[in-house]
């Protein structure tokens, strides 16, 4: 029993340990490594100051990805009056933000350097590709939608009305086209060159060059350079990013870092809990054993004491009885002797009297 | 007690059965809708709110409230508190059914439920907290099932295999505590990945610790609550040992719960201090946070301690219900109410009628199965052939 238990626990530990140690290496649990992204990865620079809200990119995206046609045609610009987000038949949307002048900003998957969605996916259906694209494999997806919970930009959508093959939908960065040597659909069609495709590190240089050249025109910040550990899509703006629907308080910590601490405690629990709990069990067992022994001892002692007392009493009684008996015998003997003496006296007296009479 | 054979002849049309039948029938209709028209046809979920009632209540509350299994069995078998022995079996059974219902609910919530084994057997996403939850829930459900089987084997008269399983008790208990520690805490850790979406008062780097610690008093409270329910409805199924020990269980668990809840309040305050979130307490969200922490943790904790000091089981039972409501409130706050708190009101989620009904439907199935088992198998009493056998 003892051996089988130990073996059993060891195998559990090994199983869970193996399962979770992988997580640690992925999440860079407690190292001071800093992942700067795949060096040759691509990205897109979106200069919102150049965007005119023509929705051509939306149309191109729709055609390239063979999505369902929307209710309103792409040249109907009235849809810009409403705030929109990505959805199952729109991997990208352009929003209009009113201010001193209208600003347009395109929204799609930002293809994070260390994506929250990929780190959250429990079947590895989402992965960061070396090209920079965050790709989704429908054939693995269970449909838990944790990626949608995790995404700080609220990008992935879900085909809720599909009962049999529902899936997550989002921008693919046109990975198939990139592999063919083509530009992403939206970049290719943009009439204003508000979108530039290239190596992410080159795009960063271009972005900062534009800012330096035109410091009054741009906000001095390249959105996506550091947000959530950096994204493959980068943004320039002439108004604060918060005003064009982009959160400015996401911080620079890559998403996997938020969970690495909790994940890191898992192997510790697996390793230490059996020791601790078996220890507690052993202590409680031993306490019980000692308590039992003490109880037994106490009972034994009490028994012995009682027995001794009884023996003593018996002995005393016996002694007393013998004494009484002896006394009684002595009494009787004395009585008998007395009687005999009396009789002898009487006899002697009688004989004496008889003698006197004879005289 | 020991009268398993007399139940079958009982009346079938009882108020309980009628209500249960209606809930289940409508539930089945919704089930058909869900699997023929899709999730969108029955829920209010959308792209901004991918998780709703089925995750917030069925999964998060379901798992927390099923914590009575590991809490009770570890108290009895590991910490050696033998006087709680009669509470172990009902607690294990409710835990097992609780987890089974959680898994059932997941089948409604995920897009392709037939792929639920994927994360364990096919493609392991080990960097995901949800992977850990999935693995642990799967393993723990198995452990709970095995822990429950002795009751079934006694009922079926399979003495040999029953004795063999009983010998595994300690190993299973330890394994159960490990798995529970892991997945109870991981359910909280799920939300660590989205600091920008969860309100700072609920988001904390200790979220997983909060979920684990609160699961302990959730479990204790559920055992108290269930036992008072069982006393009401299944009194005739209890043996003398169970009845004699019941008050002791209520008093002991109530006392333990009050201690742990006080500790929990302590670490919650530490969490606010660590992130320096004091200023949020004066906002509307802060008020809501205090309602949860003071109104639904501190107050029931005080009631628990008064109840256990004065040996007043009635107070303790009220405290148990209060605590359970507090746990539900906490889980819903983290997953739904304080989640996506920045979204405008028009984009917030509220469950649909069919989502709520599905949740009630699943709870009802659990209660019906519990009743079926507890009226037949030696759960609330000891099988006469196996008395003094532990």
């Amino acid at each position: 029993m003892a051996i089988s238990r130990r073996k059993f626990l060891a195998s559990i530990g090994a199983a869970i340990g193996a399962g979770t140690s992988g997580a640690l290496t992925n999440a860079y649990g407690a190292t001071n490594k800093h992942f700067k992204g795949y060096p040759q990865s691509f990205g897109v620079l979106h200069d919102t100051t150049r965007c005119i809200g023509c929705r051509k990119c939306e149309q191109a995206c729709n055609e390239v990805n063979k999505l369902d046609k929307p209710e309103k045609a792409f040249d109907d610009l009235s849809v810009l009056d409403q705030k929109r987000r990505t959805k199952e038949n729109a991997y990208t949307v352009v929003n209009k933000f009113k201010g001193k002048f209208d600003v347009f900003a395109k929204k799609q998957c930002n293809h994070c350097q260390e994506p929250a969605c990929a780190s959250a996916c429990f079947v590895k259906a989402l992965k960061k590709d070396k090209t920079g694209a965050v790709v989704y494999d429908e054939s693995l997806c269970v449909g838990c939608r944790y990626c949608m919970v995790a995404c700080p930009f609220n990008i992935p959508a879900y085909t809720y009305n599909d009962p049999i093959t529902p899936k997550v939908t989002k921008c693919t960065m046109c990975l198939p086209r990139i592999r063919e040597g083509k530009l992403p659909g939206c970049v290719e069609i943009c009439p204003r060159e508000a979108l530039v495709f290239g190596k992410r590190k080159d795009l960063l240089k271009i972005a900062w060059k534009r800012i330096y050249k035109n410091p009054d025109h741009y906000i001095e910040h390249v959105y996506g350079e550091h947000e959530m550990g950096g994204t493959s899509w980068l943004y320039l703006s002439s108004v604060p990013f918060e005003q064009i629907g982009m959160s400015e308080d996401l911080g620079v910590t890559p998403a996997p870092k938020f969970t690495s601490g909790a994940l890191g405690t898992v192997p510790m629990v697996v390793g230490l809990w059996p020791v601790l709990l078996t220890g507690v069990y052993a202590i409680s067992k031993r306490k019980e054993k000692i308590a039992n022994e003490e109880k037994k001892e106490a009972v034994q002692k009490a028994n012995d004491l009682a027995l001794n007392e009884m023996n003593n009493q018996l002995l005393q009684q016996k002694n007393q009885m013998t004494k009484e008996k002896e006394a009684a015998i002595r009494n009787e003997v004395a009585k008998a002797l007395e009687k005999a003496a009396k009789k002898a006296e009487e006899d002697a007296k009688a004989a004496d009297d008889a003698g006197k009479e004879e005289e | 007690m020991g009268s398993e054979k007399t139940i079958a002849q009982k009346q079938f049309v009882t108020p309980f059965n009628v209500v249960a039948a209606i809930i289940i029938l409508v539930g089945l209709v919704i089930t058909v809708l869900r699997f023929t028209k899709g999730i969108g046809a029955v829920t209010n979920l959308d792209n901004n709110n991918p998780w709703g009632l089925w995750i917030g209540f069925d999964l998060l509350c379901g798992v927390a409230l099923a914590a009575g299994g590991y809490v009770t069995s570890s108290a009895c078998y590991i910490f050696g508190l033998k006087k709680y022995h009669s509470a172990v079996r009902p607690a294990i059974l409710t835990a097992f059914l609780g987890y089974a219902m959680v898994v059932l609910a997941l089948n409604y919530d995920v897009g392709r439920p037939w792929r639920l084994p994927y994360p364990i057997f096919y493609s392991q996403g080990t960097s995901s907290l949800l992977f850990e939850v999935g693995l642990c829930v799967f393993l723990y459900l198995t452990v709970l099932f095995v822990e429950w089987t002795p009751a079934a084997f006694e009922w079926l008269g399979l003495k040999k295999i029953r004795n063999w399983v009983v010998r595994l008790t300690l190993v299973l208990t330890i394994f159960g505590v490990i798995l529970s520690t892991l997945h109870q805490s991981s359910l909280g850790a799920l939300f660590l990945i989205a600091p920008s979406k969860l309100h700072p008062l609920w988001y904390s780097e200790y979220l997983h610790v909060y979920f684990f610690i609160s699961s302990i008093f959730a479990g204790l409270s559920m055992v108290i609550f269930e036992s008072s329910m069982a006393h009401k409805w299944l009194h005739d199924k209890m043996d003398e040992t169970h009845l004699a020990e019941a008050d002791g269980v209520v008093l002991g668990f109530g006392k333990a719960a009050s201690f742990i809840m006080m500790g929990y309040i302590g670490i919650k305050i530490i969490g606010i201090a660590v992130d320096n979130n004091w200023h949020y307490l004066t906002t509307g969200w802060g008020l809501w946070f205090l309602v949860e922490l003071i109104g639904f943790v501190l107050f029931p904790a005080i009631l628990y301690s008064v109840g256990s000091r004065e040996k007043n089981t009635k107070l303790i039972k009220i405290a148990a219900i209060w605590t359970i409501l507090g746990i539900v409130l906490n889980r819903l706050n983290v997953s739904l109410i304080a989640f996506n708190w920045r979204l405008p009101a028009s984009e917030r989620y509220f469950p649909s009628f069919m989502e709520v009904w599905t949740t009630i439907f699943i709870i009802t199935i659990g209660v019906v199965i519990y009743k079926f088992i507890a009226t037949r198998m030696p759960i609330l009493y000891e099988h006469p052939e196996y008395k003094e056998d532990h």
Side-chain angles (χ1 to χ4, degrees):
Chain A
M1 162 84 185
I3 289 165
S4 70
R5 179 198 308 160
R6 192 178 306 155
K7 263 191 185 163
F8 183 53
L9 286 176
S11 62
I12 294 159
I16 295 181
T20 48
S21 59
L24 266 181
T25 49
N26 280 356
Y28 299 113
T31 68
N32 55 4
K33 263 188 216 162
H34 176 48
F35 178 69
K36 288 183 181 164
Y38 295 113
Q40 298 300 315
S41 68
F42 295 110
V44 175
L45 173 64
H46 175 30
D47 191 335
T48 60
T49 65
R50 297 185 180 189
C51 182
I52 53 165
C54 66
R55 298 187 68 212
K56 284 263 171 16
C57 53
E58 287 186 35
Q59 186 173 3
C61 178
N62 181 286
E63 281 158 14
V64 164
N65 291 296
K66 299 183 184 72
L67 303 177
D68 293 341
K69 291 280 166 257
E71 288 164 35
K72 285 184 181 173
F74 285 106
D75 51 11
D76 182 351
L77 298 183
S78 67
V79 297
L80 292 172
D81 293 333
Q82 277 174 332
K83 195 186 126 198
R84 294 178 300 151
R85 61 151 288 161
T86 51
K87 54 183 187 175
E88 57 174 295
N89 62 348
Y91 296 175
T92 184
V93 291
V94 176
N95 277 317
K96 180 165 84 178
F97 298 92
K98 289 181 180 141
K100 259 187 281 173
F101 47 90
D102 288 348
V103 179
F104 301 92
K106 181 180 176 299
K107 191 182 176 107
Q108 74 299 302
C109 174
N110 285 325
H111 300 274
C112 302
Q113 301 275 71
E114 294 176 70
C117 58
S119 142
C121 183
F122 71 160
V123 283
K124 289 193 207 150
L126 286 151
K127 274 184 193 148
K128 177 76 174 172
D129 190 78
K130 286 211 160 120
T131 55
V134 176
V135 289
Y136 168 69
D137 182 354
E138 189 197 327
S139 72
L140 292 172
C141 182
V142 181
C144 71
R145 308 186 295 285
Y146 188 27
C147 51
M148 298 165 72
V149 168
C151 178
F153 304 106
N154 275 330
I155 293 302
Y158 199 66
T159 57
Y160 285 105
N161 289 316
D162 181 349
I164 306 300
T165 57
K167 57 176 188 283
V168 170
T169 61
K170 71 166 199 69
C171 161
T172 62
M173 214 186 197
C174 279
L175 185 62
R177 285 172 63 92
I178 290 174
R179 290 209 173 118
E180 288 170 23
K182 292 186 200 159
L183 289 171
C186 54
V187 177
E188 191 181 64
I189 206 160
C190 183
R192 298 273 302 167
E193 285 184 28
L195 300 170
V196 184
F197 179 82
K199 297 259 164 68
R200 183 178 185 268
K201 54 177 187 180
D202 299 335
L203 294 178
L204 271 173
K205 281 179 201 152
I206 295 171
W208 279 109
K209 211 182 268 172
R210 284 187 193 175
I211 293 174
Y212 292 142
K213 269 191 174 167
N214 229 331
D216 297 333
H217 185 55
Y218 290 106
I219 296 283
E220 198 184 341
H221 181 76
V222 178
Y223 194 95
E225 183 175 10
H226 300 298
E227 272 75 12
M228 295 299 287
T231 59
S232 294
W233 276 67
L234 304 165
Y235 300 82
L236 287 173
S237 173
S238 56
V239 295
F241 286 95
E242 196 71 51
Q243 286 175 25
I244 54 170
M246 300 167 87
S247 309
E248 286 183 35
D249 53 0
L250 294 179
V252 297
T253 312
K257 277 255 155 62
F258 293 121
T259 52
S260 62
L263 274 173
T265 57
V266 170
M268 291 297 108
V269 170
V270 175
L272 292 178
W273 251 222
V275 179
L276 188 74
L277 295 173
T278 318
V280 171
Y281 170 76
I283 291 169
S284 74
K285 198 85 186 162
R286 184 161 167 71
K287 262 189 180 161
E288 197 186 331
K289 199 178 150 199
I290 290 175
N292 278 343
E293 270 169 13
E294 279 174 352
K295 205 163 139 196
K296 225 163 127 190
E297 220 167 85
V299 168
Q300 187 65 42
K301 230 180 200 167
N303 271 347
D304 288 352
L305 217 69
L307 204 69
N308 269 345
E309 205 165 309
M310 207 171 68
N311 283 344
N312 276 344
Q313 253 171 15
L314 266 175
L315 205 70
Q316 266 174 16
Q317 238 161 19
K318 216 165 143 190
N319 286 345
Q320 205 174 339
M321 271 165 71
T322 357
K323 252 187 222 159
E324 273 170 19
K325 225 179 193 170
E326 276 171 5
I329 292 170
R330 237 180 289 138
N331 232 359
E332 289 298 309
V333 171
K335 252 189 209 162
L337 282 176
E338 210 175 307
K339 223 175 168 180
K342 228 177 185 172
K343 209 183 167 204
E345 211 172 286
E346 270 170 21
D347 283 353
K349 216 177 174 182
D352 217 31
D353 285 350
K356 264 181 193 170
E357 269 171 34
E358 271 169 32
E359 270 172 37
Chain B
M1 65 177 250
S3 59
E4 310 100 276
K5 280 162 203 106
T6 58
I7 291 99
Q9 284 88 30
K10 260 195 176 171
Q11 209 182 342
F12 192 71
V13 185
T14 61
F16 174 85
N17 287 358
V18 170
V19 172
I22 293 170
I23 293 173
I24 289 173
L25 277 178
V26 178
L28 289 175
V29 174
I30 297 171
T31 305
V32 171
L33 269 177
R34 153 68 185 89
F35 288 100
T36 53
K37 303 275 175 199
I39 299 171
V42 292
T43 69
N44 279 348
L45 296 174
D46 59 39
N47 289 328
N48 284 332
N49 301 288
W51 283 358
L53 187 71
W54 293 345
I55 295 293
F57 186 84
D58 297 30
L59 174 66
L60 295 185
C61 298
V63 167
L65 298 178
Y70 87 88
V71 170
T72 313
S73 58
S74 62
C76 177
Y77 296 127
I78 296 177
F79 292 87
L81 304 169
K82 293 260 168 72
K83 57 181 175 166
Y84 302 139
H85 188 263
S86 63
V88 171
R89 274 207 182 166
I92 294 279
L93 175 64
T94 20
F96 170 56
L97 291 176
Y99 277 88
M101 292 311 113
V102 165
V103 174
L104 178 64
L106 281 181
N107 279 279
Y108 284 75
D109 186 75
V110 304
R112 305 193 197 188
W114 47 92
R115 284 183 178 174
L116 275 173
Y118 273 24
I120 298 162
F121 297 108
Y122 186 56
S123 176
Q124 295 83 2
T126 48
S127 62
S128 171
L129 260 316
L130 198 60
F131 169 75
E132 210 213 308
V133 170
L135 182 64
C136 290
V137 168
F138 165 71
L139 290 173
Y140 189 45
L141 190 62
T142 316
V143 167
L144 282 170
F145 176 74
V146 177
E147 283 187 297
W148 164 76
T149 53
F153 290 143
E154 287 173 16
W155 180 54
L156 296 168
L158 302 170
K159 216 167 193 170
K160 224 174 189 178
I161 183 160
R162 178 262 180 207
N163 288 339
W164 190 82
V165 177
V166 165
R167 244 177 279 146
L168 291 175
T169 302
L170 181 65
V171 183
L172 289 174
T173 306
I174 291 179
F175 197 26
V177 177
I178 297 170
L179 292 170
S180 295
T181 310
L182 294 180
H183 71 260
Q184 292 286 0
S185 57
S186 294
L187 281 176
L190 283 180
F191 296 92
L192 287 177
I193 196 131
S196 59
K197 293 185 183 176
L198 182 56
H199 190 280
L201 281 173
W202 282 271
Y203 186 93
S204 162
E205 59 180 312
Y206 303 123
L207 202 50
H208 52 303
V209 182
Y210 297 158
F211 266 56
F212 173 59
I213 300 298
S214 56
S215 84
I216 300 175
F217 59 77
L220 293 168
S221 303
M222 269 311 267
V223 171
I224 295 170
F225 174 68
E226 286 156 16
S227 100
S228 68
M229 287 293 105
H231 271 269
K232 215 168 188 178
W233 306 109
L234 297 165
H235 196 85
D236 55 323
K237 297 284 171 290
M238 296 174 174
D239 64 3
E240 276 162 34
T241 323
H242 193 106
L243 291 173
E245 287 182 1
D247 274 358
V249 170
V250 170
L251 291 172
F253 277 28
K255 196 176 190 178
S258 81
F259 267 99
I260 298 163
M261 287 163 88
M262 292 300 183
Y264 174 77
I265 293 166
I267 57 173
K268 285 287 265 192
I269 294 170
I270 290 171
I272 299 173
V274 165
D275 290 329
N276 199 13
N277 278 336
W278 300 106
H279 60 288
Y280 285 110
L281 289 178
T282 54
T283 64
W285 283 107
L287 191 66
W288 184 237
F289 179 82
L290 292 176
V291 166
E292 180 198 313
L293 193 64
I294 295 175
F296 286 87
V297 187
L298 182 63
F299 285 172
I302 292 171
L303 197 61
Y304 262 139
S305 59
V306 171
S308 60
R309 192 187 59 195
E310 292 173 2
K311 308 242 176 293
N312 185 338
T313 52
K314 203 169 177 188
L315 281 187
I316 294 179
K317 282 170 188 175
I318 295 169
I321 295 171
W322 200 345
T323 307
I324 290 164
L325 291 176
I327 291 289
V328 172
L329 181 62
N330 172 256
R331 298 308 194 254
L332 292 183
N333 271 340
V334 171
S335 61
L336 302 176
I337 299 170
F339 191 81
N340 271 339
W341 64 291
R342 280 181 172 141
L343 284 186
S346 60
E347 292 174 27
R348 296 300 306 272
Y349 160 87
F350 194 82
S352 73
F353 162 74
M354 286 193 273
E355 281 176 273
V356 177
W357 195 284
T358 306
T359 295
I360 296 170
F361 162 67
I362 288 170
I363 296 170
T364 308
I365 293 178
V367 173
V368 168
I369 300 177
Y370 179 90
K371 202 169 159 244
F372 179 90
I373 294 176
T375 48
R376 282 164 179 80
M377 298 181 198
I379 301 294
L380 300 169
Y381 61 91
E382 281 176 84
H383 197 289
E385 284 177 39
Y386 302 94
K387 273 209 166 159
E388 310 301 326
D389 193 23
H390 43 74

